[in-house]
Short mmCIF file of all heavy atoms in Angstrom, two decimals:
data_model
loop_
_atom_site.label_atom_id
_atom_site.label_comp_id
_atom_site.label_asym_id
_atom_site.label_seq_id
_atom_site.Cartn_x
_atom_site.Cartn_y
_atom_site.Cartn_z
N LEU X 102 76.02 -181.05 -38.74
CA LEU X 102 76.70 -181.47 -39.96
C LEU X 102 76.97 -182.97 -39.94
O LEU X 102 77.56 -183.50 -38.98
CB LEU X 102 78.02 -180.72 -40.11
CG LEU X 102 77.95 -179.29 -40.67
CD1 LEU X 102 79.29 -178.59 -40.48
CD2 LEU X 102 77.55 -179.32 -42.15
N HIS X 103 76.54 -183.65 -41.00
CA HIS X 103 76.68 -185.10 -41.05
C HIS X 103 76.70 -185.55 -42.51
O HIS X 103 76.43 -184.76 -43.42
CB HIS X 103 75.53 -185.79 -40.31
CG HIS X 103 74.17 -185.53 -40.90
ND1 HIS X 103 73.48 -184.34 -40.72
CD2 HIS X 103 73.38 -186.30 -41.70
CE1 HIS X 103 72.32 -184.39 -41.35
NE2 HIS X 103 72.24 -185.57 -41.97
N THR X 104 77.02 -186.80 -42.71
CA THR X 104 77.03 -187.38 -44.05
C THR X 104 76.29 -188.71 -44.05
O THR X 104 76.15 -189.36 -43.02
CB THR X 104 78.46 -187.63 -44.57
OG1 THR X 104 79.07 -188.67 -43.78
CG2 THR X 104 79.30 -186.38 -44.50
N HIS X 105 75.81 -189.08 -45.23
CA HIS X 105 75.26 -190.41 -45.47
C HIS X 105 76.12 -191.04 -46.56
O HIS X 105 75.94 -190.73 -47.75
CB HIS X 105 73.80 -190.33 -45.91
CG HIS X 105 72.90 -189.67 -44.91
ND1 HIS X 105 72.59 -190.25 -43.71
CD2 HIS X 105 72.27 -188.46 -44.94
CE1 HIS X 105 71.79 -189.45 -43.03
NE2 HIS X 105 71.60 -188.34 -43.75
N PRO X 106 77.08 -191.88 -46.21
CA PRO X 106 77.99 -192.42 -47.21
C PRO X 106 77.33 -193.32 -48.24
O PRO X 106 77.89 -193.53 -49.32
CB PRO X 106 79.00 -193.21 -46.36
CG PRO X 106 78.30 -193.50 -45.08
CD PRO X 106 77.40 -192.33 -44.84
N GLY X 107 76.12 -193.82 -47.92
CA GLY X 107 75.52 -194.79 -48.82
C GLY X 107 74.37 -194.29 -49.66
O GLY X 107 73.79 -195.06 -50.42
N ALA X 108 74.00 -193.01 -49.55
CA ALA X 108 72.81 -192.57 -50.30
C ALA X 108 72.69 -191.06 -50.37
O ALA X 108 73.18 -190.34 -49.50
CB ALA X 108 71.55 -193.14 -49.65
N SER X 109 72.00 -190.59 -51.40
CA SER X 109 71.55 -189.20 -51.46
C SER X 109 70.25 -189.10 -50.67
O SER X 109 69.61 -190.10 -50.35
CB SER X 109 71.30 -188.78 -52.91
OG SER X 109 72.52 -188.78 -53.65
N GLU X 110 69.87 -187.86 -50.34
CA GLU X 110 68.72 -187.63 -49.47
C GLU X 110 67.83 -186.55 -50.05
O GLU X 110 68.32 -185.56 -50.61
CB GLU X 110 69.21 -187.21 -48.08
CG GLU X 110 68.14 -186.74 -47.11
CD GLU X 110 68.74 -186.22 -45.81
OE1 GLU X 110 69.93 -186.49 -45.54
OE2 GLU X 110 68.02 -185.51 -45.08
N VAL X 111 66.52 -186.72 -49.93
CA VAL X 111 65.55 -185.69 -50.30
C VAL X 111 64.71 -185.38 -49.06
O VAL X 111 64.19 -186.29 -48.42
CB VAL X 111 64.63 -186.13 -51.45
CG1 VAL X 111 63.58 -185.04 -51.74
CG2 VAL X 111 65.43 -186.42 -52.70
N LEU X 112 64.61 -184.09 -48.72
CA LEU X 112 63.86 -183.65 -47.54
C LEU X 112 62.62 -182.88 -47.97
O LEU X 112 62.68 -182.06 -48.90
CB LEU X 112 64.76 -182.80 -46.65
CG LEU X 112 64.13 -182.14 -45.42
CD1 LEU X 112 65.12 -182.12 -44.25
CD2 LEU X 112 63.68 -180.70 -45.73
N VAL X 113 61.51 -183.12 -47.28
CA VAL X 113 60.26 -182.38 -47.50
C VAL X 113 59.80 -181.82 -46.17
O VAL X 113 59.64 -182.58 -45.20
CB VAL X 113 59.16 -183.28 -48.10
CG1 VAL X 113 57.88 -182.46 -48.32
CG2 VAL X 113 59.61 -183.91 -49.41
N VAL X 114 59.60 -180.51 -46.11
CA VAL X 114 59.16 -179.86 -44.87
C VAL X 114 57.64 -179.99 -44.74
O VAL X 114 56.90 -179.62 -45.66
CB VAL X 114 59.56 -178.38 -44.85
CG1 VAL X 114 59.06 -177.70 -43.57
CG2 VAL X 114 61.08 -178.24 -44.95
N ILE X 115 57.19 -180.50 -43.61
CA ILE X 115 55.76 -180.67 -43.35
C ILE X 115 55.23 -179.55 -42.46
O ILE X 115 54.09 -179.13 -42.59
CB ILE X 115 55.50 -182.04 -42.67
CG1 ILE X 115 56.11 -183.18 -43.50
CG2 ILE X 115 54.02 -182.26 -42.44
CD1 ILE X 115 55.57 -183.28 -44.91
N GLN X 116 56.07 -179.08 -41.55
CA GLN X 116 55.66 -178.05 -40.60
C GLN X 116 56.86 -177.18 -40.24
O GLN X 116 57.98 -177.67 -40.09
CB GLN X 116 55.09 -178.70 -39.33
CG GLN X 116 54.73 -177.74 -38.21
CD GLN X 116 54.35 -178.47 -36.92
OE1 GLN X 116 54.15 -179.68 -36.93
NE2 GLN X 116 54.25 -177.74 -35.84
N GLY X 117 56.62 -175.88 -40.07
CA GLY X 117 57.67 -174.98 -39.60
C GLY X 117 58.60 -174.49 -40.70
O GLY X 117 58.32 -174.61 -41.89
N THR X 118 59.72 -173.93 -40.24
CA THR X 118 60.73 -173.37 -41.14
C THR X 118 62.08 -174.01 -40.83
O THR X 118 62.50 -174.05 -39.67
CB THR X 118 60.84 -171.84 -40.95
OG1 THR X 118 59.57 -171.24 -41.19
CG2 THR X 118 61.86 -171.25 -41.91
N ILE X 119 62.74 -174.50 -41.86
CA ILE X 119 64.02 -175.19 -41.68
C ILE X 119 65.08 -174.56 -42.58
O ILE X 119 64.87 -174.41 -43.79
CB ILE X 119 63.90 -176.70 -42.00
CG1 ILE X 119 62.98 -177.37 -40.99
CG2 ILE X 119 65.28 -177.36 -42.01
CD1 ILE X 119 62.75 -178.85 -41.27
N CYS X 120 66.19 -174.17 -41.96
CA CYS X 120 67.35 -173.72 -42.73
C CYS X 120 68.21 -174.95 -43.00
O CYS X 120 68.65 -175.62 -42.06
CB CYS X 120 68.14 -172.68 -41.93
SG CYS X 120 69.67 -172.15 -42.74
N ALA X 121 68.43 -175.26 -44.26
CA ALA X 121 69.16 -176.47 -44.62
C ALA X 121 70.24 -176.15 -45.64
O ALA X 121 70.14 -175.17 -46.39
CB ALA X 121 68.21 -177.53 -45.19
N GLY X 122 71.27 -176.96 -45.65
CA GLY X 122 72.33 -176.72 -46.61
C GLY X 122 73.33 -177.86 -46.66
O GLY X 122 73.32 -178.74 -45.81
N PHE X 123 74.17 -177.82 -47.68
CA PHE X 123 75.25 -178.80 -47.80
C PHE X 123 76.49 -178.13 -48.36
O PHE X 123 76.43 -177.02 -48.91
CB PHE X 123 74.84 -180.00 -48.65
CG PHE X 123 74.59 -179.72 -50.11
CD1 PHE X 123 75.63 -179.78 -51.04
CD2 PHE X 123 73.32 -179.42 -50.57
CE1 PHE X 123 75.42 -179.53 -52.38
CE2 PHE X 123 73.08 -179.17 -51.92
CZ PHE X 123 74.14 -179.22 -52.82
N ILE X 124 77.62 -178.80 -48.18
CA ILE X 124 78.92 -178.27 -48.62
C ILE X 124 79.49 -179.22 -49.66
O ILE X 124 79.63 -180.42 -49.41
CB ILE X 124 79.89 -178.15 -47.43
CG1 ILE X 124 79.27 -177.28 -46.33
CG2 ILE X 124 81.22 -177.55 -47.89
CD1 ILE X 124 80.06 -177.29 -45.04
N SER X 125 79.82 -178.69 -50.83
CA SER X 125 80.35 -179.54 -51.90
C SER X 125 81.80 -179.91 -51.61
O SER X 125 82.44 -179.36 -50.71
CB SER X 125 80.27 -178.81 -53.24
OG SER X 125 81.26 -177.79 -53.32
N SER X 126 82.34 -180.81 -52.40
CA SER X 126 83.74 -181.22 -52.24
C SER X 126 84.69 -180.08 -52.61
O SER X 126 85.88 -180.13 -52.28
CB SER X 126 84.03 -182.45 -53.10
OG SER X 126 83.73 -182.21 -54.46
N ALA X 127 84.17 -179.04 -53.27
CA ALA X 127 84.96 -177.85 -53.57
C ALA X 127 84.78 -176.79 -52.49
O ALA X 127 85.19 -175.64 -52.66
CB ALA X 127 84.55 -177.27 -54.92
N ASN X 128 84.12 -177.18 -51.37
CA ASN X 128 83.87 -176.30 -50.22
C ASN X 128 82.94 -175.14 -50.55
O ASN X 128 82.97 -174.10 -49.88
CB ASN X 128 85.19 -175.77 -49.64
CG ASN X 128 85.99 -176.86 -48.98
OD1 ASN X 128 85.43 -177.77 -48.35
ND2 ASN X 128 87.29 -176.81 -49.12
N LYS X 129 82.09 -175.31 -51.55
CA LYS X 129 81.05 -174.31 -51.82
C LYS X 129 79.81 -174.67 -51.02
O LYS X 129 79.41 -175.82 -50.96
CB LYS X 129 80.71 -174.28 -53.31
CG LYS X 129 79.68 -173.20 -53.65
CD LYS X 129 79.44 -173.07 -55.14
CE LYS X 129 78.42 -171.99 -55.43
NZ LYS X 129 78.17 -171.82 -56.88
N VAL X 130 79.21 -173.65 -50.40
CA VAL X 130 78.04 -173.85 -49.55
C VAL X 130 76.76 -173.58 -50.34
O VAL X 130 76.64 -172.55 -51.02
CB VAL X 130 78.09 -172.93 -48.32
CG1 VAL X 130 76.83 -173.10 -47.47
CG2 VAL X 130 79.34 -173.22 -47.49
N TYR X 131 75.80 -174.51 -50.23
CA TYR X 131 74.48 -174.35 -50.83
C TYR X 131 73.48 -174.30 -49.68
O TYR X 131 73.24 -175.30 -49.01
CB TYR X 131 74.18 -175.50 -51.78
CG TYR X 131 75.13 -175.54 -52.97
CD1 TYR X 131 76.34 -176.20 -52.87
CD2 TYR X 131 74.80 -174.91 -54.17
CE1 TYR X 131 77.22 -176.24 -53.96
CE2 TYR X 131 75.66 -174.94 -55.25
CZ TYR X 131 76.87 -175.60 -55.14
OH TYR X 131 77.74 -175.64 -56.20
N LEU X 132 72.90 -173.12 -49.46
CA LEU X 132 72.08 -172.86 -48.28
C LEU X 132 70.71 -172.38 -48.69
O LEU X 132 70.57 -171.54 -49.59
CB LEU X 132 72.78 -171.80 -47.42
CG LEU X 132 72.24 -171.50 -46.03
CD1 LEU X 132 72.38 -172.72 -45.13
CD2 LEU X 132 73.01 -170.32 -45.44
N LYS X 133 69.66 -172.90 -48.02
CA LYS X 133 68.30 -172.51 -48.38
C LYS X 133 67.40 -172.57 -47.16
O LYS X 133 67.49 -173.48 -46.34
CB LYS X 133 67.76 -173.47 -49.45
CG LYS X 133 66.40 -173.11 -50.00
CD LYS X 133 66.45 -171.92 -50.92
CE LYS X 133 65.10 -171.64 -51.55
NZ LYS X 133 65.13 -170.41 -52.39
N THR X 134 66.54 -171.56 -47.02
CA THR X 134 65.50 -171.58 -45.99
C THR X 134 64.25 -172.19 -46.58
O THR X 134 63.73 -171.71 -47.60
CB THR X 134 65.20 -170.16 -45.48
OG1 THR X 134 66.38 -169.62 -44.86
CG2 THR X 134 64.08 -170.18 -44.45
N LEU X 135 63.78 -173.26 -45.96
CA LEU X 135 62.66 -174.03 -46.48
C LEU X 135 61.41 -173.83 -45.63
O LEU X 135 61.48 -173.89 -44.40
CB LEU X 135 63.02 -175.52 -46.52
CG LEU X 135 64.31 -175.89 -47.26
CD1 LEU X 135 64.63 -177.36 -47.04
CD2 LEU X 135 64.20 -175.58 -48.75
N GLU X 136 60.30 -173.61 -46.29
CA GLU X 136 59.01 -173.49 -45.61
C GLU X 136 58.16 -174.74 -45.87
O GLU X 136 58.57 -175.64 -46.60
CB GLU X 136 58.27 -172.24 -46.13
CG GLU X 136 59.05 -170.94 -46.02
CD GLU X 136 59.20 -170.45 -44.59
OE1 GLU X 136 58.52 -171.00 -43.68
OE2 GLU X 136 60.01 -169.52 -44.38
N LYS X 137 57.01 -174.78 -45.25
CA LYS X 137 56.10 -175.93 -45.40
C LYS X 137 55.86 -176.23 -46.88
O LYS X 137 55.53 -175.34 -47.66
CB LYS X 137 54.77 -175.62 -44.71
CG LYS X 137 53.74 -176.73 -44.81
CD LYS X 137 52.46 -176.35 -44.09
CE LYS X 137 51.40 -177.44 -44.25
NZ LYS X 137 50.14 -177.08 -43.54
N GLY X 138 56.05 -177.48 -47.25
CA GLY X 138 55.86 -177.90 -48.63
C GLY X 138 57.10 -177.84 -49.49
O GLY X 138 57.13 -178.42 -50.59
N ASP X 139 58.15 -177.15 -49.02
CA ASP X 139 59.40 -177.08 -49.78
C ASP X 139 60.20 -178.36 -49.62
O ASP X 139 60.07 -179.09 -48.64
CB ASP X 139 60.25 -175.90 -49.30
CG ASP X 139 59.66 -174.55 -49.65
OD1 ASP X 139 58.82 -174.49 -50.57
OD2 ASP X 139 60.04 -173.55 -49.01
N SER X 140 61.07 -178.61 -50.58
CA SER X 140 61.93 -179.79 -50.53
C SER X 140 63.35 -179.41 -50.95
O SER X 140 63.56 -178.39 -51.60
CB SER X 140 61.39 -180.92 -51.42
OG SER X 140 61.29 -180.49 -52.77
N MET X 141 64.30 -180.25 -50.58
CA MET X 141 65.70 -180.02 -50.94
C MET X 141 66.41 -181.36 -51.03
O MET X 141 66.10 -182.29 -50.26
CB MET X 141 66.38 -179.12 -49.91
CG MET X 141 67.80 -178.69 -50.28
SD MET X 141 68.44 -177.41 -49.15
CE MET X 141 70.03 -177.07 -49.92
N VAL X 142 67.35 -181.47 -51.94
CA VAL X 142 68.12 -182.69 -52.12
C VAL X 142 69.54 -182.48 -51.60
O VAL X 142 70.11 -181.39 -51.72
CB VAL X 142 68.14 -183.14 -53.60
CG1 VAL X 142 68.85 -182.13 -54.47
CG2 VAL X 142 68.77 -184.52 -53.73
#
Side-chain angles (χ1 to χ4, degrees):
L102 280 168
H103 63 283
T104 67
H105 300 291
S109 295
E110 171 186 344
V111 177
L112 175 144
V113 180
V114 178
I115 306 301
Q116 175 187 349
T118 302
I119 294 177
C120 175
F123 67 88
I124 304 171
S125 74
S126 57
N128 292 323
K129 183 175 180 179
V130 177
Y131 296 86
L132 189 65
K133 185 73 175 176
T134 297
L135 306 172
E136 305 289 349
K137 180 180 177 180
D139 291 340
S140 59
M141 187 171 183
V142 64

